[in-house]
Amino acid sequence: MVRGEEPLLSQGRPSSDHSDERSVEEEDALLTGQKRAQPRNYGWAFWREVGLFAWAIIATVLVIVLAVLFSHQQQTSKPTPSGGGRKDGKPTGKRNLIFMVSDGMGPTSLSLTRTFRQTETGLPVDDVLVLDHHLIGTSRTRSTSSLITDSAAGATAFSCGQKSYNGAISVLPNRDPCGTVLEAAKRAGYMTGLVVTTRITDATPACFAAHVNRRAEEDRIAVQEVGEHPLGRVLDLMLGGGRCHFLPNTTDHSCRRDDRDIVDLAKQNGFSYISDRKRFDGLNFGTNVKLPLLGLFADTDIPYEIDRRNMNDIYPSLDEMARTALEALQAATQDSDKGFFLMIEGSRIDHAGHGNDPAAQVHEVLAYDTAFASVLDFLDRDDVEGVVVGTSDHETGGLATARQLHDTYPEYHWFPAVLANASHSAEHLAYQLRDHKAGQHISPLDSGIKTPPRPRSNQDTEEEEGEEDLKSYIRTTLLSDGLGISDPTDAEINRL
């Protein structure tokens, strides 16, 4: 018989180990139409799998519990390098707090600056700012009087922990003064300081050390900052601009409405006073400082960083002032069981937003980013436990990094490299234009008012030549050299 034709029930055909069970199941299925359930035989392999699964669940739960317990212990019982831990878990001992404000900076400011930096220096697209590594959330500073929060209401929320109206300098809506974190630190024995690039009497710094109903009362703010204050002197260090509010109105460069000499008042209250780059350099980045210290380096605001970098021999940078303040306060508290509170503000990010000046904006944010990095470096090196808190009070100017080409279909484009062509801020160029017009004794361009024709004269010719000179100055010095714009139209020139 051929092998392929061998009967299925041949004696030589191998049989399955479970052939008896299978035949019974098949008979039942044929007779009843239903498969009979057979008892399963759970062997060693099955129970081994069950045991391993149960052990995996138990081990996972134990790991999670241990991790939670360890984290809780670290947060509540870990002693600080300069102190210890209380039984209630709150830290004790010497500590420093640096509070940083990027005034007027919104999320688009960071995007604008990040892409500008990447483009200008040839960095990869995943290279980010120092600030980007420390973004953990947002703050809410809403004014009680407006949906648009100003710097005064924002800084009052920071300093007092309570909301107030636009223009309020650490006073509540009912005009009652509210205690600030800086004042509380001073009363607790801490050293205190303010570092800004605007006037030291501007809204943000004022909200930490003064109380007035309106932010415009900068003459009164100056008086309080140097010690004529309900709590006495609450500041040990001030670095920034705003000198004009400290000089009597009988002197040049004063903007006070009275003849009080606030620099002299500061000296009477123990302040050392410096007002120029040479004496700032003499501080040796904080190692040669006598506190309390008042340093005012500009009549009003310190110039934008895009302009200041070309006047470095006149004005210190935000980073230089911040590093000087940190070292000075560290040295002053070295033998104390208390630390210090320092507020550092990137003040003119806000002004660049108000002026719709993107070139000034990116350089202000970069300057703030550099100062932020220096603060982190200081905290890493310092033996005393410290913390930096950085936030913004509001956004300014409705900044958008795009250009709508036409109304029917807005194609958005953003060219960061264009900003790299600018050598100065619009503010600086406006001052140049003012000085040029004053020096040439020429009037502004046609305002649009139509006047009757008159006979031509030598005066007419001189005026026309003056206008042509002004147009040429705007086109070449301001737009081409200052902003890097090489293709302005005549209509754009005339608008300027």
Side-chain angles (χ1 to χ4, degrees):
M1 178 180 293
V2 180
R3 181 173 180 83
E5 297 177 357
E6 182 178 355
L8 292 176
L9 299 181
S10 171
Q11 293 183 357
R13 183 178 180 87
S15 176
S16 169
D17 292 338
H18 305 288
S19 58
D20 293 339
E21 292 88 342
R22 186 175 297 137
S23 62
V24 171
E25 291 177 2
E26 290 174 352
E27 281 187 13
D28 288 344
L30 290 172
L31 293 174
T32 65
Q34 295 181 351
K35 184 177 179 180
R36 189 180 72 175
Q38 297 292 325
R40 297 186 62 182
N41 183 19
Y42 295 105
W44 162 247
F46 171 80
W47 291 111
R48 183 173 61 114
E49 294 295 330
V50 170
L52 289 174
F53 179 72
W55 170 246
I57 293 177
I58 295 171
T60 301
V61 171
L62 286 174
V63 169
I64 293 174
V65 170
L66 289 174
V68 171
L69 291 175
F70 178 76
S71 176
H72 179 74
Q73 183 182 20
Q74 291 291 100
Q75 293 177 8
T76 59
S77 303
K78 182 181 178 180
T80 66
S82 53
R86 299 194 323 196
K87 291 183 178 179
D88 59 5
K90 294 183 178 180
T92 61
K94 186 175 179 180
R95 296 184 301 281
N96 299 323
L97 171 61
I98 300 100
F99 186 72
M100 300 189 68
V101 180
S102 45
D103 197 305
M105 187 181 80
T108 312
S109 299
L110 286 172
S111 297
L112 176 81
T113 305
R114 186 185 309 113
T115 52
F116 168 79
R117 177 172 171 268
Q118 291 167 355
T119 302
E120 185 185 36
T121 57
L123 295 170
V125 294
D126 58 350
D127 185 271
V128 295
L129 302 170
V130 176
L131 291 167
D132 290 316
H133 293 289
H134 300 274
L135 179 62
I136 61 172
T138 58
S139 62
R140 188 172 187 265
T141 58
R142 179 172 173 171
S143 166
T144 62
S145 65
S146 173
L147 294 176
I148 307 300
T149 305
D150 81 335
S151 294
T156 296
F158 295 150
S159 62
C160 291
Q162 300 190 63
K163 305 295 194 300
S164 195
Y165 58 92
N166 280 358
I169 302 297
S170 289
V171 294
L172 301 178
N174 64 1
R175 272 49 174 184
D176 285 344
C178 53
T180 74
V181 62
L182 184 145
E183 292 166 345
K186 187 62 179 175
R187 294 197 70 181
Y190 286 69
M191 302 290 279
T192 61
L194 300 173
V195 173
V196 301
T197 53
T198 52
R199 307 170 307 285
I200 201 72
T201 52
D202 200 16
T204 300
C207 280
F208 288 85
H211 304 270
V212 296
N213 292 337
R214 296 183 302 113
R215 60 182 293 176
E217 299 178 72
E218 294 189 50
D219 289 355
R220 290 183 59 200
I221 291 168
V223 171
Q224 293 185 38
E225 287 180 333
V226 299
E228 201 169 281
H229 186 282
L231 300 177
R233 180 176 63 79
V234 297
L235 280 166
D236 297 295
L237 179 145
M238 287 180 277
L239 299 177
R243 187 167 51 228
C244 70
H245 288 287
F246 291 77
L247 301 176
N249 62 6
T250 55
T251 62
D252 293 337
H253 306 291
S254 172
C255 58
R256 287 190 67 83
R257 295 185 177 182
D258 58 35
D259 60 356
R260 295 195 67 182
D261 188 338
I262 309 307
V263 170
D264 184 65
L265 177 62
K267 291 178 179 178
Q268 293 177 32
N269 289 335
F271 278 92
S272 302
Y273 174 65
I274 61 174
S275 60
D276 56 47
R277 178 74 201 218
K278 181 178 179 180
R279 296 190 64 188
F280 175 81
D281 290 341
L283 301 177
N284 197 25
F285 282 104
T287 62
N288 187 31
V289 172
K290 179 180 179 295
L291 298 180
L293 172 66
L294 173 64
L296 304 173
F297 308 108
D299 289 340
T300 56
D301 303 321
I302 292 175
Y304 285 118
E305 180 62 21
I306 192 174
D307 305 317
R308 189 212 63 81
R309 61 185 181 175
N310 299 314
M311 299 179 280
N312 193 51
D313 58 331
I314 302 175
Y315 305 102
S317 68
L318 176 65
D319 180 58
E320 290 173 314
M321 291 190 291
R323 290 160 58 193
T324 297
L326 289 167
E327 296 297 333
L329 292 173
Q330 180 195 47
T333 58
Q334 185 173 6
D335 298 325
S336 171
D337 62 348
K338 303 293 184 181
F340 63 80
F341 173 87
L342 175 64
M343 194 284 291
I344 302 171
E345 182 190 30
S347 317
R348 304 211 66 194
I349 301 171
D350 172 84
H351 292 186
H354 281 296
N356 293 160
D357 189 339
Q361 173 103 163
V362 295
H363 287 282
E364 288 302 302
V365 176
L366 287 172
Y368 179 77
D369 193 62
T370 299
F372 190 85
S374 291
V375 169
L376 295 177
D377 179 67
F378 171 83
L379 292 174
D380 287 339
R381 291 184 289 104
D382 194 19
D383 293 333
V384 178
E385 181 170 326
V387 63
V388 57
V389 177
T391 188
S392 297
D393 47 4
H394 55 80
E395 192 273 340
T396 306
L399 176 65
T401 54
R403 175 173 176 258
Q404 184 173 344
L405 300 180
H406 51 80
D407 295 333
T408 57
Y409 189 81
E411 294 182 6
Y412 292 101
H413 296 285
W414 156 226
F415 304 104
V418 174
L419 300 184
N421 297 330
S423 60
H424 289 289
S425 68
E427 176 185 82
H428 179 87
L429 297 175
Y431 291 149
Q432 281 190 307
L433 178 60
R434 178 199 63 187
D435 294 343
H436 177 80
K437 289 163 62 177
Q440 296 295 319
H441 302 291
I442 54 180
S443 61
L445 295 176
D446 182 9
S447 62
I449 299 176
K450 302 301 181 182
T451 56
R454 60 180 181 174
R456 293 181 61 81
S457 65
N458 291 336
Q459 183 179 357
D460 292 331
T461 303
E462 290 176 359
E463 288 181 356
E464 289 177 357
E465 291 177 351
E467 288 188 1
E468 288 304 317
D469 173 78
L470 183 56
K471 289 181 179 180
S472 176
Y473 182 81
I474 291 174
R475 183 184 299 275
T476 304
T477 304
L478 302 187
L479 297 181
S480 179
D481 298 342
L483 296 179
I485 298 174
S486 58
D487 57 350
T489 65
D490 290 339
E492 290 169 334
I493 296 292
N494 289 332
R495 281 200 297 269
L496 293 174

